Amino acid sequence: MKKPKHLRFFDIVIAGLSGAIGFEIFVLLNYAYFHLAGSAIIFALALGGVINLLVMLSYSELSAAMPLVGGEYTFIKTAYGGYVGFIFGCFRWLAAIFAAALAAVAFVLQLAFLFSVVSPQLQISISNMSWLIAVLVVAVMGVTEVRGTRKIGSFVVIAFILLFAGFIVGGFIHGINTVDPFSAPLPLGVSGVFAAIVYVFPMFIGTKALVASAPDAEKPEKDIPKALILSSVLIIPLYLLLAIVAVGTVTPTQTALQVPLLNFAASSIFGGYGGIVFAVAGMAACLSALGTALSVQSSIARGLSRDGYFPKILLSVHSRFGTFHIAAIVGSALIMALSALGAVPFLGYAASFGSLLVFALVNMSLIKLRKTKPHMDRPFKTPLYPITPILGVIFSVALLVGPVIFGDGNALDALTSGLGLTAIVLGSYYLRMAGRYRMQIAFGGIGIGVGISLALISIANIAGLSQPILPFIPSYIQLLFCIVFIVTGYFNLNTRKERVKEKTATEDEQEKPLTLREQVVKKLKLTF
Amino acid sequence: MIHKKIPLKLVFGATQTLIAFSSIVLAVLIEFDLFNLQASMNIEAETLNFYMLVLLGLGFVLVLGGLFLVYDWWETRR
């Protein structure tokens, strides 16, 4: 039985806004404002919003033409096939993992701010144990994902819009400093403004979340493009006004704040209670985003598993709760490890990295589909084709590499990690295509090689003939590890042989002597 | 015959996974200097990249090698 299509235009716009209005505004303004752009953050936000709108035009065309489950994955797979679809899936999965880790870290920042008002002593303890709290928050949310008990309504979006509107109106009534992006000092010059776009960009990209509503929309071909464009446009003035009020409360000579900018501004405008309300709102936004990212990563990981790229174990369903617990646990473990880092700018850029690559791929898919499937039914066509998608690709790539060229250290770290992950993704694809047993033999060989090399070095070190490679691990423990590596390598090398033996033995056991009738039938089948 | 070997494979596979995963965690802790590890382990800035390469590179490869054996055991158990 088909699921009824029930989403109307308003519901879809709300879905887009709920994707965009999130925790990012609570956490990403500080670095962009104090370290990169200064008051010109207003430009960075405006440009970020316009670039997002540009990309959403391509999304509009594709989602109206293909209102199917899978969203971007379907667009890219239709245009380029499974290989690029797999790369997209991996980056989208990684982007969700990094975004979840960022949300966990942002939650701790908001919690610390809340306690700075209630009990400054406790705030110090929270700051010292921030990584542990972040890990615990992910663990709790991971459990709710496994149990399938989390439910967040879309009324949260309306509550946030009202809260932000109150903040903006309150700010202008209270009086703020004039924000002059033209005359204010720029910490890193014009290049800093461009670099800042990358850090504020995650605030906008959530609008694409409404593409997921396409299969449930009453009139997807009409409503999805309109809702995408409307929510992308609405979000720009909202964030610009928020930033103007937030930046306007900070005196020009003030150095980098240790607390989130939006919370600081709320405290300045409304007093301590304003700060508390924003801290609570920030925490709610972080938990909501963390929950969404956990579900998204699980869904993508299962999709890749279903298509044979990730292990099938990720599709396991919990016998009691009926949820995909393995996918939830694996994702939660990765998010915990990343959230323990606590590095907001690094995670912010890393979350953008995956999304920007996906944006570039979506724009390229649009160009390819226009060429290969010119007669495809397109209820909405991207204006100014091919300029719009080409600009989308150029901006996505420029935003990826721009901050690195301009010498932003966090971006360099994150890009290096991103490229490393890309290498792992591509490597795993080729290994996957090579077949499991070949992979296992290769890893077995590497394990034995590493084990023997390390063993020789450790023995030489114990004998006083050489320096240790890893001086912080005692040589005899290294030797013990080597034995494990060699034995494991041996087992990996022999797995296939054992499997073949096992299979042959099972087949021999199952093979029963044929009756006379079966022998005749078999012979006839062979003859004809 | 083959079924007798499986628990041993599981033990070695799980041990290697644990060792390799610990090396990745250690690499992350050293890189971000959590718990002031760089000073306490006498790691200089020049040698940091080398340690990262050894711990992370080998860590990833060995985790996969160990997980293969664990997966083998899991598959046979089913």
Side-chain angles (χ1 to χ4, degrees):
Chain A
M1 196 177 136
K2 265 188 155 183
K3 210 174 156 189
K5 297 189 169 202
H6 58 279
L7 293 179
R8 293 183 180 177
F9 180 66
F10 178 75
D11 303 316
I12 303 168
V13 174
I14 288 290
L17 288 175
S18 72
I21 296 175
F23 74 99
E24 290 91 349
I25 184 86
F26 289 92
V27 70
L28 291 176
L29 284 179
N30 282 49
Y31 187 70
Y33 175 62
F34 290 109
H35 299 279
L36 296 173
S39 299
I41 192 174
I42 308 300
F43 281 140
L45 276 165
L47 272 170
V50 170
I51 294 170
N52 181 55
L53 181 61
L54 206 65
V55 179
M56 285 310 127
L57 289 171
S58 298
Y59 267 81
S60 299
E61 176 172 327
L62 293 172
S63 55
M66 290 178 269
L68 306 168
V69 175
E72 302 128 311
Y73 181 61
T74 313
F75 312 154
I76 293 168
K77 206 174 170 184
T78 312
Y80 290 101
Y83 176 56
V84 182
F86 161 74
I87 292 174
F88 157 79
C90 283
F91 283 124
R92 187 71 190 83
W93 182 64
L94 288 170
I97 295 275
F98 279 112
L102 182 63
V105 174
F107 177 85
V108 180
L109 289 175
Q110 294 296 329
L111 190 70
F113 181 83
L114 182 71
F115 279 99
S116 73
V117 183
V118 182
S119 162
Q121 276 301 320
L122 217 53
Q123 185 212 359
I124 296 166
S125 309
I126 288 170
S127 301
N128 291 338
M129 294 191 302
S130 56
W131 68 272
L132 182 65
I133 298 169
V135 167
L136 285 175
V137 168
V138 179
V140 171
M141 292 301 285
V143 169
T144 62
E145 178 70 20
V146 170
R147 290 175 65 94
T149 49
R150 188 171 30 75
K151 291 233 182 331
I152 294 164
S154 63
F155 70 90
V156 175
V157 185
I158 296 163
F160 269 106
I161 293 174
L162 290 176
L163 183 73
F164 289 158
F167 174 80
I168 293 163
V169 173
F172 283 114
I173 291 171
H174 176 265
I176 53 170
N177 301 317
T178 312
V179 180
D180 186 359
F182 296 99
S183 64
L186 304 175
L188 282 179
V190 179
S191 56
V193 182
F194 193 75
I197 300 173
V198 184
Y199 289 93
V200 296
F201 200 57
M203 294 182 200
F204 297 97
I205 55 182
T207 43
K208 70 186 164 73
L210 72 81
V211 173
S213 319
D216 298 327
E218 274 183 357
K219 297 174 204 158
E221 62 289 339
K222 262 179 77 183
D223 290 346
I224 295 287
K226 276 199 287 180
L228 261 173
I229 294 165
L230 183 65
S231 53
S232 303
V233 169
L234 283 177
I235 207 77
I236 299 173
L238 180 70
Y239 280 160
L240 279 180
L241 287 169
L242 273 174
I244 287 170
V245 174
V247 171
T249 55
V250 182
T251 52
T253 52
Q254 207 153 12
T255 50
L257 291 171
Q258 297 301 312
V259 295
L261 185 57
L262 218 55
N263 298 63
F264 172 82
S267 299
S268 306
I269 297 166
F270 301 107
Y273 289 113
I276 291 173
V277 169
F278 263 73
V280 172
M283 282 157 64
C286 292
L287 289 182
S288 163
L290 181 54
T292 309
L294 271 168
S295 302
V296 168
Q297 73 79 24
S298 163
S299 154
I300 299 166
R302 282 184 281 122
L304 289 167
S305 177
R306 183 198 58 211
D307 289 352
Y309 298 121
F310 277 11
K312 294 280 178 215
I313 192 172
L314 295 174
L315 291 169
S316 309
V317 178
H318 196 281
S319 55
R320 189 171 154 204
F321 302 118
T323 52
F324 298 96
H325 61 300
I326 302 285
I329 291 167
V330 169
S332 302
L334 275 170
I335 296 164
M336 277 188 217
L338 287 168
S339 59
L341 302 177
V344 172
F346 170 81
L347 292 171
Y349 181 87
S352 275
F353 178 86
S355 301
L356 286 167
L357 276 177
V358 169
F359 280 2
L361 283 172
V362 168
N363 280 296
M364 283 160 65
S365 300
L366 174 78
I367 297 169
K368 177 103 192 268
L369 287 172
R370 282 270 187 126
K371 276 186 186 166
T372 55
K373 296 191 176 177
H375 303 299
M376 189 184 202
D377 184 28
R378 291 181 173 83
F380 176 87
K381 281 196 170 184
T382 303
L384 301 174
Y385 177 86
I387 298 167
T388 319
I390 289 173
L391 280 178
V393 176
I394 291 170
F395 278 128
S396 302
V397 176
L399 284 177
L400 261 181
V401 295
V404 180
I405 294 168
F406 300 137
D408 180 47
N410 286 302
L412 186 62
D413 282 350
L415 188 66
T416 313
S417 313
L419 290 176
L421 290 170
T422 309
I424 292 172
V425 165
L426 294 178
S428 61
Y429 180 83
Y430 282 111
L431 287 171
R432 174 78 185 76
M433 290 302 111
R436 177 185 150 191
Y437 290 115
R438 282 187 190 172
M439 275 169 70
Q440 200 159 352
I441 290 167
F443 281 106
I446 294 170
I448 291 179
V450 169
I452 292 173
S453 311
L454 270 180
L456 289 174
I457 293 166
S458 303
I459 292 165
N461 180 39
I462 291 167
L465 298 171
S466 75
Q467 291 291 316
I469 286 190
L470 302 168
F472 39 84
I473 303 173
S475 295
Y476 59 90
I477 292 184
Q478 286 188 39
L479 206 56
L480 207 65
F481 288 173
C482 294
I483 295 167
V484 175
F485 299 160
I486 293 168
V487 176
T488 311
Y490 170 77
F491 281 142
N492 272 325
L493 280 178
N494 279 288
T495 300
R496 190 173 191 181
K497 219 184 278 175
E498 287 176 6
R499 275 298 156 94
V500 171
K501 267 188 200 170
E502 190 184 20
K503 206 176 168 187
T504 320
T506 322
E507 279 170 4
D508 287 347
E509 270 175 28
Q510 284 174 349
E511 204 167 306
K512 292 173 188 170
L514 297 175
T515 59
L516 187 63
R517 188 173 175 274
E518 284 168 338
Q519 281 177 23
V520 173
V521 171
K522 199 178 174 185
K523 203 170 182 182
L524 281 170
K525 270 186 186 168
L526 283 173
T527 314
F528 296 105
Chain B
M1 178 75 182
I2 193 157
H3 290 284
K4 279 181 190 170
K5 277 186 181 176
I6 287 166
L8 197 62
K9 280 168 80 172
L10 173 68
V11 169
F12 274 95
T15 312
Q16 175 161 308
T17 307
L18 199 72
I19 295 168
F21 187 72
S22 309
S23 99
I24 295 169
V25 172
L26 181 67
V28 172
L29 294 178
I30 292 173
E31 169 70 21
F32 289 92
D33 203 16
L34 295 175
F35 311 114
N36 205 19
L37 273 183
Q38 287 183 15
S40 58
M41 286 182 166
N42 255 342
I43 296 171
E44 290 164 13
E46 297 85 49
T47 51
L48 190 64
N49 288 340
F50 170 73
Y51 288 133
M52 286 302 108
L53 188 73
V54 171
L55 292 173
L56 282 177
L58 293 184
F60 279 118
V61 172
L62 294 172
V63 156
L64 289 173
L67 282 177
F68 271 127
L69 292 188
V70 177
Y71 186 67
D72 265 356
W73 165 80
W74 183 78
E75 212 177 30
T76 321
R77 198 180 61 123
R78 274 199 311 175

